[in-house]
Amino acid sequence: MTVMIYGAACSSTRKAKEWFRKNNINYIERNILKDPLTVPELQQILSRTVEGTEEIISTRSKVYKELDVDIDSLPLQELLTLIHKHPRLLRSPIMLDEKRLQVGFHIDDIRQFLPRKTRERQWLQWRMNYLPMTEIVK
């Protein structure tokens, strides 16, 4: 499994890369400022979101405020073209593999990229360390 990391050179992207390195998970990084996502790539990402464009657009970004555009009123193709032209509209990083998508670095959520066996082993270890023995025996 290889995870794609789309992002700008920011602290969240650096944290994500470091987390993948520490957990021995292969990733491919793409700086979206130097190599913006294409409209089809943006469509692929959107197809995996739960909240649509709200999940991937950074409404706190400088470029979002400067553009002063009502994003909700734009037809989808126009919005995707706008994002392609202004990649800083995207939250960073956007990480995806064959099954999963995560937008932004969140230490608890990123664990979804760990192999199932690793997550199970970590969960059992946590239970052994933090639950009283009587709870484990039940």
Side-chain angles (χ1 to χ4, degrees):
M1 167 185 73
T2 299
V3 177
M4 291 297 304
I5 302 176
Y6 301 114
C10 65
S11 63
S12 293
T13 301
R14 283 190 300 276
K15 287 177 189 176
K17 292 186 320 186
E18 181 61 25
W19 186 89
F20 285 112
R21 249 190 312 280
K22 283 182 180 177
N23 288 283
N24 296 316
I25 297 174
N26 295 328
Y27 67 89
I28 298 172
E29 177 190 9
R30 178 163 159 195
N31 185 322
I32 59 172
L33 303 180
K34 294 178 182 174
D35 187 10
L37 294 167
T38 65
V39 170
E41 288 170 328
L42 290 165
Q43 289 170 328
Q44 177 197 19
I45 290 169
L46 274 177
S47 72
R48 300 226 190 136
T49 64
V50 174
E51 299 171 14
T53 57
E54 289 181 22
E55 197 169 330
I56 65 170
I57 292 180
S58 175
T59 56
R60 296 185 304 180
S61 69
K62 183 178 176 183
V63 70
Y64 178 85
K65 294 171 184 171
E66 288 174 351
L67 287 173
D68 194 31
V69 174
D70 181 10
I71 287 184
D72 294 330
S73 69
L74 289 178
L76 184 58
Q77 284 305 112
E78 282 184 39
L79 177 57
L80 297 178
T81 301
L82 185 67
I83 294 170
H84 173 73
K85 289 179 184 174
H86 301 279
R88 288 195 185 271
L89 280 172
L90 290 174
R91 292 180 59 205
S92 183
I94 296 174
M95 300 161 283
L96 70 148
D97 65 9
E98 300 83 28
K99 299 175 188 173
R100 294 164 284 265
L101 168 77
Q102 182 176 328
V103 181
F105 177 79
H106 306 284
I107 193 66
D108 293 330
D109 297 337
I110 200 168
R111 294 186 73 254
Q112 69 179 318
F113 291 102
L114 287 171
R116 182 180 305 270
K117 297 246 186 240
T118 303
R119 289 193 315 266
E120 289 171 354
R121 190 172 46 253
Q122 288 178 355
W123 168 244
L124 289 173
Q125 185 63 48
W126 180 86
R127 285 185 64 182
M128 296 294 289
N129 291 337
Y130 294 102
L131 291 180
M133 201 56 159
T134 55
E135 291 291 319
I136 295 172
V137 176
K138 284 184 181 180

PDB file of all heavy atoms in Angstrom, residues 2-32:
ATOM      1  N   THR A   2       0.547   2.179  -0.842  1.00  0.00           N
ATOM      2  CA  THR A   2       1.244   3.454  -0.896  1.00  0.00           C
ATOM      3  C   THR A   2       0.212   4.560  -0.740  1.00  0.00           C
ATOM      4  O   THR A   2      -0.822   4.555  -1.391  1.00  0.00           O
ATOM      5  CB  THR A   2       1.993   3.632  -2.232  1.00  0.00           C
ATOM      6  OG1 THR A   2       2.958   2.578  -2.349  1.00  0.00           O
ATOM      7  CG2 THR A   2       2.705   4.960  -2.292  1.00  0.00           C
ATOM      8  N   VAL A   3       0.511   5.498   0.129  1.00  0.00           N
ATOM      9  CA  VAL A   3      -0.381   6.618   0.390  1.00  0.00           C
ATOM     10  C   VAL A   3       0.100   7.817  -0.424  1.00  0.00           C
ATOM     11  O   VAL A   3       1.298   8.090  -0.481  1.00  0.00           O
ATOM     12  CB  VAL A   3      -0.384   6.966   1.895  1.00  0.00           C
ATOM     13  CG1 VAL A   3      -1.244   8.182   2.175  1.00  0.00           C
ATOM     14  CG2 VAL A   3      -0.840   5.777   2.720  1.00  0.00           C
ATOM     15  N   MET A   4      -0.839   8.509  -1.043  1.00  0.00           N
ATOM     16  CA  MET A   4      -0.532   9.759  -1.730  1.00  0.00           C
ATOM     17  C   MET A   4      -0.734  10.889  -0.733  1.00  0.00           C
ATOM     18  O   MET A   4      -1.751  10.934  -0.047  1.00  0.00           O
ATOM     19  CB  MET A   4      -1.462   9.980  -2.927  1.00  0.00           C
ATOM     20  CG  MET A   4      -1.235   9.030  -4.077  1.00  0.00           C
ATOM     21  SD  MET A   4       0.413   9.181  -4.830  1.00  0.00           S
ATOM     22  CE  MET A   4       0.493  10.900  -5.281  1.00  0.00           C
ATOM     23  N   ILE A   5       0.245  11.773  -0.653  1.00  0.00           N
ATOM     24  CA  ILE A   5       0.125  12.952   0.210  1.00  0.00           C
ATOM     25  C   ILE A   5       0.183  14.176  -0.704  1.00  0.00           C
ATOM     26  O   ILE A   5       1.205  14.452  -1.317  1.00  0.00           O
ATOM     27  CB  ILE A   5       1.259  13.041   1.249  1.00  0.00           C
ATOM     28  CG1 ILE A   5       1.302  11.795   2.124  1.00  0.00           C
ATOM     29  CG2 ILE A   5       1.100  14.299   2.095  1.00  0.00           C
ATOM     30  CD1 ILE A   5       2.460  11.771   3.099  1.00  0.00           C
ATOM     31  N   TYR A   6      -0.945  14.843  -0.810  1.00  0.00           N
ATOM     32  CA  TYR A   6      -1.016  16.082  -1.576  1.00  0.00           C
ATOM     33  C   TYR A   6      -1.009  17.227  -0.580  1.00  0.00           C
ATOM     34  O   TYR A   6      -1.856  17.290   0.308  1.00  0.00           O
ATOM     35  CB  TYR A   6      -2.301  16.149  -2.403  1.00  0.00           C
ATOM     36  CG  TYR A   6      -2.465  15.025  -3.386  1.00  0.00           C
ATOM     37  CD1 TYR A   6      -3.480  14.093  -3.243  1.00  0.00           C
ATOM     38  CD2 TYR A   6      -1.601  14.904  -4.463  1.00  0.00           C
ATOM     39  CE1 TYR A   6      -3.644  13.063  -4.150  1.00  0.00           C
ATOM     40  CE2 TYR A   6      -1.750  13.872  -5.375  1.00  0.00           C
ATOM     41  CZ  TYR A   6      -2.780  12.958  -5.218  1.00  0.00           C
ATOM     42  OH  TYR A   6      -2.921  11.937  -6.113  1.00  0.00           O
ATOM     43  N   GLY A   7      -0.040  18.132  -0.711  1.00  0.00           N
ATOM     44  CA  GLY A   7      -0.007  19.226   0.246  1.00  0.00           C
ATOM     45  C   GLY A   7       0.995  20.292  -0.114  1.00  0.00           C
ATOM     46  O   GLY A   7       1.780  20.157  -1.055  1.00  0.00           O
ATOM     47  N   ALA A   8       0.922  21.353   0.650  1.00  0.00           N
ATOM     48  CA  ALA A   8       1.891  22.438   0.542  1.00  0.00           C
ATOM     49  C   ALA A   8       3.007  22.154   1.542  1.00  0.00           C
ATOM     50  O   ALA A   8       2.899  21.251   2.360  1.00  0.00           O
ATOM     51  CB  ALA A   8       1.203  23.766   0.867  1.00  0.00           C
ATOM     52  N   ALA A   9       4.059  22.928   1.461  1.00  0.00           N
ATOM     53  CA  ALA A   9       5.157  22.775   2.421  1.00  0.00           C
ATOM     54  C   ALA A   9       4.741  23.471   3.711  1.00  0.00           C
ATOM     55  O   ALA A   9       5.039  24.640   3.930  1.00  0.00           O
ATOM     56  CB  ALA A   9       6.434  23.377   1.854  1.00  0.00           C
ATOM     57  N   CYS A  10       4.012  22.752   4.557  1.00  0.00           N
ATOM     58  CA  CYS A  10       3.522  23.327   5.815  1.00  0.00           C
ATOM     59  C   CYS A  10       3.764  22.332   6.943  1.00  0.00           C
ATOM     60  O   CYS A  10       4.135  21.179   6.715  1.00  0.00           O
ATOM     61  CB  CYS A  10       2.034  23.658   5.707  1.00  0.00           C
ATOM     62  SG  CYS A  10       0.979  22.221   5.487  1.00  0.00           S
ATOM     63  N   SER A  11       3.518  22.763   8.160  1.00  0.00           N
ATOM     64  CA  SER A  11       3.799  21.903   9.313  1.00  0.00           C
ATOM     65  C   SER A  11       2.907  20.664   9.322  1.00  0.00           C
ATOM     66  O   SER A  11       3.355  19.584   9.709  1.00  0.00           O
ATOM     67  CB  SER A  11       3.639  22.684  10.613  1.00  0.00           C
ATOM     68  OG  SER A  11       2.311  23.125  10.770  1.00  0.00           O
ATOM     69  N   SER A  12       1.664  20.774   8.901  1.00  0.00           N
ATOM     70  CA  SER A  12       0.772  19.611   8.887  1.00  0.00           C
ATOM     71  C   SER A  12       1.259  18.547   7.909  1.00  0.00           C
ATOM     72  O   SER A  12       1.224  17.350   8.210  1.00  0.00           O
ATOM     73  CB  SER A  12      -0.650  20.025   8.526  1.00  0.00           C
ATOM     74  OG  SER A  12      -1.200  20.817   9.549  1.00  0.00           O
ATOM     75  N   THR A  13       1.725  18.968   6.760  1.00  0.00           N
ATOM     76  CA  THR A  13       2.253  18.018   5.778  1.00  0.00           C
ATOM     77  C   THR A  13       3.534  17.371   6.307  1.00  0.00           C
ATOM     78  O   THR A  13       3.725  16.165   6.180  1.00  0.00           O
ATOM     79  CB  THR A  13       2.510  18.711   4.424  1.00  0.00           C
ATOM     80  OG1 THR A  13       1.267  19.269   3.958  1.00  0.00           O
ATOM     81  CG2 THR A  13       3.047  17.743   3.389  1.00  0.00           C
ATOM     82  N   ARG A  14       4.393  18.162   6.940  1.00  0.00           N
ATOM     83  CA  ARG A  14       5.622  17.607   7.523  1.00  0.00           C
ATOM     84  C   ARG A  14       5.297  16.587   8.614  1.00  0.00           C
ATOM     85  O   ARG A  14       5.913  15.532   8.689  1.00  0.00           O
ATOM     86  CB  ARG A  14       6.514  18.716   8.073  1.00  0.00           C
ATOM     87  CG  ARG A  14       7.277  19.484   7.005  1.00  0.00           C
ATOM     88  CD  ARG A  14       8.326  20.411   7.586  1.00  0.00           C
ATOM     89  NE  ARG A  14       7.798  21.433   8.471  1.00  0.00           N
ATOM     90  CZ  ARG A  14       7.289  22.594   8.082  1.00  0.00           C
ATOM     91  NH1 ARG A  14       7.231  22.877   6.784  1.00  0.00           N
ATOM     92  NH2 ARG A  14       6.848  23.469   8.960  1.00  0.00           N
ATOM     93  N   LYS A  15       4.310  16.887   9.460  1.00  0.00           N
ATOM     94  CA  LYS A  15       3.911  15.947  10.513  1.00  0.00           C
ATOM     95  C   LYS A  15       3.380  14.647   9.910  1.00  0.00           C
ATOM     96  O   LYS A  15       3.689  13.552  10.401  1.00  0.00           O
ATOM     97  CB  LYS A  15       2.837  16.564  11.402  1.00  0.00           C
ATOM     98  CG  LYS A  15       3.342  17.633  12.322  1.00  0.00           C
ATOM     99  CD  LYS A  15       2.175  18.237  13.102  1.00  0.00           C
ATOM    100  CE  LYS A  15       2.591  19.448  13.878  1.00  0.00           C
ATOM    101  NZ  LYS A  15       1.419  20.065  14.558  1.00  0.00           N
ATOM    102  N   ALA A  16       2.588  14.756   8.859  1.00  0.00           N
ATOM    103  CA  ALA A  16       2.040  13.559   8.218  1.00  0.00           C
ATOM    104  C   ALA A  16       3.161  12.700   7.633  1.00  0.00           C
ATOM    105  O   ALA A  16       3.199  11.485   7.852  1.00  0.00           O
ATOM    106  CB  ALA A  16       1.044  13.948   7.125  1.00  0.00           C
ATOM    107  N   LYS A  17       4.093  13.316   6.929  1.00  0.00           N
ATOM    108  CA  LYS A  17       5.201  12.561   6.341  1.00  0.00           C
ATOM    109  C   LYS A  17       6.021  11.872   7.434  1.00  0.00           C
ATOM    110  O   LYS A  17       6.393  10.715   7.287  1.00  0.00           O
ATOM    111  CB  LYS A  17       6.100  13.481   5.497  1.00  0.00           C
ATOM    112  CG  LYS A  17       5.434  13.991   4.246  1.00  0.00           C
ATOM    113  CD  LYS A  17       6.344  14.771   3.326  1.00  0.00           C
ATOM    114  CE  LYS A  17       7.291  15.692   3.992  1.00  0.00           C
ATOM    115  NZ  LYS A  17       8.080  16.535   3.095  1.00  0.00           N
ATOM    116  N   GLU A  18       6.283  12.589   8.510  1.00  0.00           N
ATOM    117  CA  GLU A  18       7.050  12.008   9.612  1.00  0.00           C
ATOM    118  C   GLU A  18       6.299  10.824  10.221  1.00  0.00           C
ATOM    119  O   GLU A  18       6.893   9.803  10.533  1.00  0.00           O
ATOM    120  CB  GLU A  18       7.343  13.073  10.680  1.00  0.00           C
ATOM    121  CG  GLU A  18       8.155  12.564  11.842  1.00  0.00           C
ATOM    122  CD  GLU A  18       9.542  12.054  11.449  1.00  0.00           C
ATOM    123  OE1 GLU A  18      10.088  12.485  10.417  1.00  0.00           O
ATOM    124  OE2 GLU A  18      10.076  11.207  12.196  1.00  0.00           O
ATOM    125  N   TRP A  19       4.982  10.937  10.384  1.00  0.00           N
ATOM    126  CA  TRP A  19       4.186   9.852  10.939  1.00  0.00           C
ATOM    127  C   TRP A  19       4.260   8.626  10.024  1.00  0.00           C
ATOM    128  O   TRP A  19       4.449   7.508  10.500  1.00  0.00           O
ATOM    129  CB  TRP A  19       2.732  10.295  11.132  1.00  0.00           C
ATOM    130  CG  TRP A  19       1.921   9.271  11.819  1.00  0.00           C
ATOM    131  CD1 TRP A  19       1.740   9.119  13.164  1.00  0.00           C
ATOM    132  CD2 TRP A  19       1.195   8.197  11.206  1.00  0.00           C
ATOM    133  NE1 TRP A  19       0.942   8.038  13.418  1.00  0.00           N
ATOM    134  CE2 TRP A  19       0.592   7.450  12.236  1.00  0.00           C
ATOM    135  CE3 TRP A  19       0.990   7.805   9.891  1.00  0.00           C
ATOM    136  CZ2 TRP A  19      -0.191   6.334  11.991  1.00  0.00           C
ATOM    137  CZ3 TRP A  19       0.208   6.697   9.638  1.00  0.00           C
ATOM    138  CH2 TRP A  19      -0.374   5.965  10.680  1.00  0.00           C
ATOM    139  N   PHE A  20       4.129   8.820   8.719  1.00  0.00           N
ATOM    140  CA  PHE A  20       4.216   7.691   7.787  1.00  0.00           C
ATOM    141  C   PHE A  20       5.610   7.065   7.821  1.00  0.00           C
ATOM    142  O   PHE A  20       5.747   5.841   7.792  1.00  0.00           O
ATOM    143  CB  PHE A  20       3.850   8.115   6.357  1.00  0.00           C
ATOM    144  CG  PHE A  20       2.382   8.311   6.158  1.00  0.00           C
ATOM    145  CD1 PHE A  20       1.853   9.562   5.928  1.00  0.00           C
ATOM    146  CD2 PHE A  20       1.508   7.229   6.208  1.00  0.00           C
ATOM    147  CE1 PHE A  20       0.486   9.746   5.751  1.00  0.00           C
ATOM    148  CE2 PHE A  20       0.142   7.395   6.032  1.00  0.00           C
ATOM    149  CZ  PHE A  20      -0.372   8.667   5.808  1.00  0.00           C
ATOM    150  N   ARG A  21       6.647   7.896   7.915  1.00  0.00           N
ATOM    151  CA  ARG A  21       8.017   7.374   8.000  1.00  0.00           C
ATOM    152  C   ARG A  21       8.185   6.522   9.260  1.00  0.00           C
ATOM    153  O   ARG A  21       8.698   5.411   9.199  1.00  0.00           O
ATOM    154  CB  ARG A  21       9.027   8.525   8.032  1.00  0.00           C
ATOM    155  CG  ARG A  21       9.882   8.630   6.791  1.00  0.00           C
ATOM    156  CD  ARG A  21      11.030   9.605   6.912  1.00  0.00           C
ATOM    157  NE  ARG A  21      10.787  10.918   7.435  1.00  0.00           N
ATOM    158  CZ  ARG A  21      10.267  11.968   6.776  1.00  0.00           C
ATOM    159  NH1 ARG A  21       9.896  11.884   5.587  1.00  0.00           N
ATOM    160  NH2 ARG A  21      10.101  13.127   7.333  1.00  0.00           N
ATOM    161  N   LYS A  22       7.746   7.035  10.399  1.00  0.00           N
ATOM    162  CA  LYS A  22       7.889   6.315  11.670  1.00  0.00           C
ATOM    163  C   LYS A  22       7.125   4.996  11.672  1.00  0.00           C
ATOM    164  O   LYS A  22       7.518   4.056  12.349  1.00  0.00           O
ATOM    165  CB  LYS A  22       7.392   7.174  12.833  1.00  0.00           C
ATOM    166  CG  LYS A  22       8.344   8.249  13.251  1.00  0.00           C
ATOM    167  CD  LYS A  22       7.793   9.018  14.437  1.00  0.00           C
ATOM    168  CE  LYS A  22       8.755  10.107  14.859  1.00  0.00           C
ATOM    169  NZ  LYS A  22       8.201  10.914  15.957  1.00  0.00           N
ATOM    170  N   ASN A  23       6.046   4.938  10.933  1.00  0.00           N
ATOM    171  CA  ASN A  23       5.215   3.739  10.903  1.00  0.00           C
ATOM    172  C   ASN A  23       5.485   2.853   9.692  1.00  0.00           C
ATOM    173  O   ASN A  23       4.715   1.935   9.402  1.00  0.00           O
ATOM    174  CB  ASN A  23       3.737   4.122  10.990  1.00  0.00           C
ATOM    175  CG  ASN A  23       3.376   4.594  12.371  1.00  0.00           C
ATOM    176  OD1 ASN A  23       3.214   3.793  13.279  1.00  0.00           O
ATOM    177  ND2 ASN A  23       3.312   5.905  12.560  1.00  0.00           N
ATOM    178  N   ASN A  24       6.583   3.141   8.993  1.00  0.00           N
ATOM    179  CA  ASN A  24       7.015   2.337   7.845  1.00  0.00           C
ATOM    180  C   ASN A  24       5.916   2.143   6.808  1.00  0.00           C
ATOM    181  O   ASN A  24       5.700   1.040   6.306  1.00  0.00           O
ATOM    182  CB  ASN A  24       7.536   0.973   8.317  1.00  0.00           C
ATOM    183  CG  ASN A  24       8.763   1.123   9.178  1.00  0.00           C
ATOM    184  OD1 ASN A  24       9.661   1.889   8.857  1.00  0.00           O
ATOM    185  ND2 ASN A  24       8.789   0.413  10.292  1.00  0.00           N
ATOM    186  N   ILE A  25       5.223   3.217   6.500  1.00  0.00           N
ATOM    187  CA  ILE A  25       4.181   3.187   5.467  1.00  0.00           C
ATOM    188  C   ILE A  25       4.698   3.982   4.275  1.00  0.00           C
ATOM    189  O   ILE A  25       5.104   5.145   4.418  1.00  0.00           O
ATOM    190  CB  ILE A  25       2.856   3.778   5.999  1.00  0.00           C
ATOM    191  CG1 ILE A  25       2.341   2.914   7.151  1.00  0.00           C
ATOM    192  CG2 ILE A  25       1.828   3.891   4.886  1.00  0.00           C
ATOM    193  CD1 ILE A  25       1.132   3.466   7.857  1.00  0.00           C
ATOM    194  N   ASN A  26       4.705   3.340   3.127  1.00  0.00           N
ATOM    195  CA  ASN A  26       5.179   4.000   1.916  1.00  0.00           C
ATOM    196  C   ASN A  26       4.233   5.131   1.528  1.00  0.00           C
ATOM    197  O   ASN A  26       3.015   4.999   1.621  1.00  0.00           O
ATOM    198  CB  ASN A  26       5.257   3.008   0.764  1.00  0.00           C
ATOM    199  CG  ASN A  26       6.285   1.936   1.005  1.00  0.00           C
ATOM    200  OD1 ASN A  26       7.305   2.171   1.642  1.00  0.00           O
ATOM    201  ND2 ASN A  26       6.016   0.746   0.502  1.00  0.00           N
ATOM    202  N   TYR A  27       4.819   6.220   1.082  1.00  0.00           N
ATOM    203  CA  TYR A  27       4.006   7.337   0.605  1.00  0.00           C
ATOM    204  C   TYR A  27       4.708   8.032  -0.548  1.00  0.00           C
ATOM    205  O   TYR A  27       5.920   7.918  -0.730  1.00  0.00           O
ATOM    206  CB  TYR A  27       3.712   8.337   1.739  1.00  0.00           C
ATOM    207  CG  TYR A  27       4.930   9.082   2.236  1.00  0.00           C
ATOM    208  CD1 TYR A  27       5.330  10.280   1.643  1.00  0.00           C
ATOM    209  CD2 TYR A  27       5.681   8.606   3.301  1.00  0.00           C
ATOM    210  CE1 TYR A  27       6.434  10.959   2.091  1.00  0.00           C
ATOM    211  CE2 TYR A  27       6.779   9.281   3.765  1.00  0.00           C
ATOM    212  CZ  TYR A  27       7.153  10.468   3.152  1.00  0.00           C
ATOM    213  OH  TYR A  27       8.253  11.143   3.594  1.00  0.00           O
ATOM    214  N   ILE A  28       3.906   8.714  -1.324  1.00  0.00           N
ATOM    215  CA  ILE A  28       4.415   9.560  -2.396  1.00  0.00           C
ATOM    216  C   ILE A  28       3.894  10.953  -2.109  1.00  0.00           C
ATOM    217  O   ILE A  28       2.694  11.153  -1.926  1.00  0.00           O
ATOM    218  CB  ILE A  28       3.924   9.082  -3.782  1.00  0.00           C
ATOM    219  CG1 ILE A  28       4.433   7.679  -4.065  1.00  0.00           C
ATOM    220  CG2 ILE A  28       4.358  10.070  -4.867  1.00  0.00           C
ATOM    221  CD1 ILE A  28       3.848   7.046  -5.319  1.00  0.00           C
ATOM    222  N   GLU A  29       4.810  11.890  -2.046  1.00  0.00           N
ATOM    223  CA  GLU A  29       4.430  13.265  -1.747  1.00  0.00           C
ATOM    224  C   GLU A  29       4.349  14.071  -3.038  1.00  0.00           C
ATOM    225  O   GLU A  29       5.146  13.890  -3.953  1.00  0.00           O
ATOM    226  CB  GLU A  29       5.465  13.905  -0.823  1.00  0.00           C
ATOM    227  CG  GLU A  29       5.174  15.351  -0.539  1.00  0.00           C
ATOM    228  CD  GLU A  29       6.316  16.050   0.169  1.00  0.00           C
ATOM    229  OE1 GLU A  29       7.402  15.458   0.296  1.00  0.00           O
ATOM    230  OE2 GLU A  29       6.117  17.197   0.591  1.00  0.00           O
ATOM    231  N   ARG A  30       3.369  14.961  -3.071  1.00  0.00           N
ATOM    232  CA  ARG A  30       3.257  15.865  -4.213  1.00  0.00           C
ATOM    233  C   ARG A  30       2.947  17.256  -3.677  1.00  0.00           C
ATOM    234  O   ARG A  30       1.947  17.456  -2.991  1.00  0.00           O
ATOM    235  CB  ARG A  30       2.150  15.404  -5.138  1.00  0.00           C
ATOM    236  CG  ARG A  30       1.953  16.316  -6.319  1.00  0.00           C
ATOM    237  CD  ARG A  30       1.177  15.602  -7.373  1.00  0.00           C
ATOM    238  NE  ARG A  30       0.540  16.478  -8.289  1.00  0.00           N
ATOM    239  CZ  ARG A  30      -0.421  16.102  -9.110  1.00  0.00           C
ATOM    240  NH1 ARG A  30      -0.843  14.845  -9.092  1.00  0.00           N
ATOM    241  NH2 ARG A  30      -0.969  16.943  -9.938  1.00  0.00           N
ATOM    242  N   ASN A  31       3.837  18.179  -3.978  1.00  0.00           N
ATOM    243  CA  ASN A  31       3.643  19.562  -3.577  1.00  0.00           C
ATOM    244  C   ASN A  31       2.639  20.192  -4.534  1.00  0.00           C
ATOM    245  O   ASN A  31       2.932  20.392  -5.714  1.00  0.00           O
ATOM    246  CB  ASN A  31       4.966  20.318  -3.598  1.00  0.00           C
ATOM    247  CG  ASN A  31       4.835  21.725  -3.080  1.00  0.00           C
ATOM    248  OD1 ASN A  31       3.848  22.410  -3.326  1.00  0.00           O
ATOM    249  ND2 ASN A  31       5.851  22.171  -2.375  1.00  0.00           N
ATOM    250  N   ILE A  32       1.445  20.488  -4.030  1.00  0.00           N
ATOM    251  CA  ILE A  32       0.382  20.977  -4.905  1.00  0.00           C
ATOM    252  C   ILE A  32       0.603  22.419  -5.362  1.00  0.00           C
ATOM    253  O   ILE A  32      -0.074  22.877  -6.282  1.00  0.00           O
ATOM    254  CB  ILE A  32      -1.001  20.847  -4.232  1.00  0.00           C
ATOM    255  CG1 ILE A  32      -1.043  21.633  -2.926  1.00  0.00           C
ATOM    256  CG2 ILE A  32      -1.362  19.382  -4.034  1.00  0.00           C
ATOM    257  CD1 ILE A  32      -2.424  21.721  -2.302  1.00  0.00           C
TER     258      ILE A  32
END
